Structure formats: structure tokens, C-alpha cells
Amino acid sequence: MGVFIVSSVFQASGRRWLGLIALSALAGCGTSRAPAPSGVPGFGPDMQLSCVPYARARSGIELRGDAWQWWDAAAGRYTRARRPAPGSVIVLARTRRLPTGHVAVVSRVVSAREIRVDHANWASGAARGRIAQDQPVIDVSPGNDWTQIRVWYPRINDYGNTVFAAHGFILPRMQMAGR
């Protein structure tokens, strides 16, 4: 029965990724977990949602561990880049504020210094564990190399004051150079 439900989700136009998220969440995640948002197909009330299974399901990048570990784990398996591309995953470094780091999927490139991302579990409070789509991220690094970013906070309708360190972007296999 569970396979039939997941199979139906895969067949539904525009909802295929929800089935992938559900499967990835069940497979485990190295980041801290937050309650899954209610009303999202494929998630039960006890299931947890965080950035890692969401990014894994959306991008097809099969890495495990905490978000900050993805950069090193991708070496030799995926192309790592300093410039964003749609479908790539930006990896934020581990800090006191982000003890497990963070990953987000680039939904589109707006300009050389602005992208939009889809990610999960970025917000705090009641929005913790929710999926946020098409959220602005800007490059504030002096060398325009995406090593320092600021992220949009819908709750305040502005970019936060915090500058986050970013390792770079991991490209899905279909975007690997020479393949």
C-alpha cells in the first residue's frame, strides 16, 4: 500500500519531488530535525523535515551527513563550483549559529550576485521545518565569489544582518562537465 501511495505521488504532475522528500526523510538526515509542516502530501504528523533530505530529493545529489559535510563529501563524486547554476546546491559552512550548516537548491540565477533558492527548515519559530521556495540570496563577498552570502527572511521582509560563509555549489551529475 505504501509503495502504491508513493508511486501515485511520483505520477502526479508537479508533485513528484514530494514523494522523493518523503523517501529521503525516512532514509535519515544528519541535520537537526524540525516538525514537518502540516498539510503537505507525503508527510505524517510525526515526520521531521530538514534541509538535507529536501536538498537531496530536489537535486538528486546523493550525499549523507550534516549539511556542512556535503562540500567535502562531494569531492570526486560531483562537480563543485564557485558560481551558481539552477539545480545546484549551495553549501553553507558550520558556525555557532548554524551548527550543522545548511544546504539549499538554486531555483534560478537572477544576476551575478543574486540567486533564488528553495530550502527547508531555514526559518525559526512556527515556520521551522517548512519549505521556502524562490527565496532571494545575495553574494556579499568582496571578490564576488559566493563565499559570503546574506539570506532573505520573509518574517522581516528583508535580508538578515548575518553574513554566512558558503563553501560553494555542488552540481548534480547531469550538469557535470565533460559528461
Side-chain angles (χ1 to χ4, degrees):
M1 173 94 179
V3 173
F4 175 75
I5 292 169
V6 171
S7 177
S8 296
V9 171
F10 279 105
Q11 294 172 1
S13 176
R15 299 200 183 239
R16 182 176 67 153
W17 63 272
L18 288 173
L20 290 171
I21 292 169
L23 290 174
S24 296
L26 290 172
C29 163
T31 63
S32 59
R33 294 178 179 250
S38 60
V40 176
F43 290 97
D46 297 329
M47 195 173 287
Q48 307 284 318
L49 180 65
S50 66
C51 65
V52 166
Y54 181 78
R56 187 182 306 125
R58 285 295 307 277
S59 68
I61 294 174
E62 289 296 324
L63 296 175
R64 301 279 185 240
D66 287 348
W68 67 272
Q69 295 172 312
W70 275 39
W71 186 251
D72 288 339
R77 294 181 62 192
Y78 295 94
T79 298
R80 299 184 306 173
R82 290 285 171 212
R83 299 278 177 239
S88 64
V89 172
I90 187 169
V91 181
L92 302 188
R94 181 168 117 171
T95 65
R96 279 192 301 166
R97 187 161 181 191
L98 290 176
T100 58
H102 187 71
V103 288
V105 181
V106 177
S107 56
R108 62 187 168 115
V109 177
V110 176
S111 69
R113 293 187 74 107
E114 183 179 352
I115 59 175
R116 296 289 195 272
V117 300
D118 298 342
H119 55 167
N121 200 29
W122 181 253
S124 59
R128 185 177 172 112
R130 296 188 186 271
I131 296 168
Q133 295 182 310
D134 207 40
Q135 299 296 293
V137 174
I138 56 173
D139 172 24
V140 295
S141 60
N144 188 23
D145 60 6
W146 289 93
T147 56
Q148 297 175 347
I149 64 165
R150 287 180 54 209
V151 180
W152 185 262
Y153 285 93
R155 194 160 134 198
I156 63 170
N157 203 30
D158 198 1
Y159 291 95
N161 291 326
T162 305
V163 173
F164 295 96
H167 292 295
F169 300 88
I170 301 171
L171 303 178
R173 289 196 190 279
M174 65 184 149
Q175 294 181 2
M176 286 185 68
R179 292 198 184 206

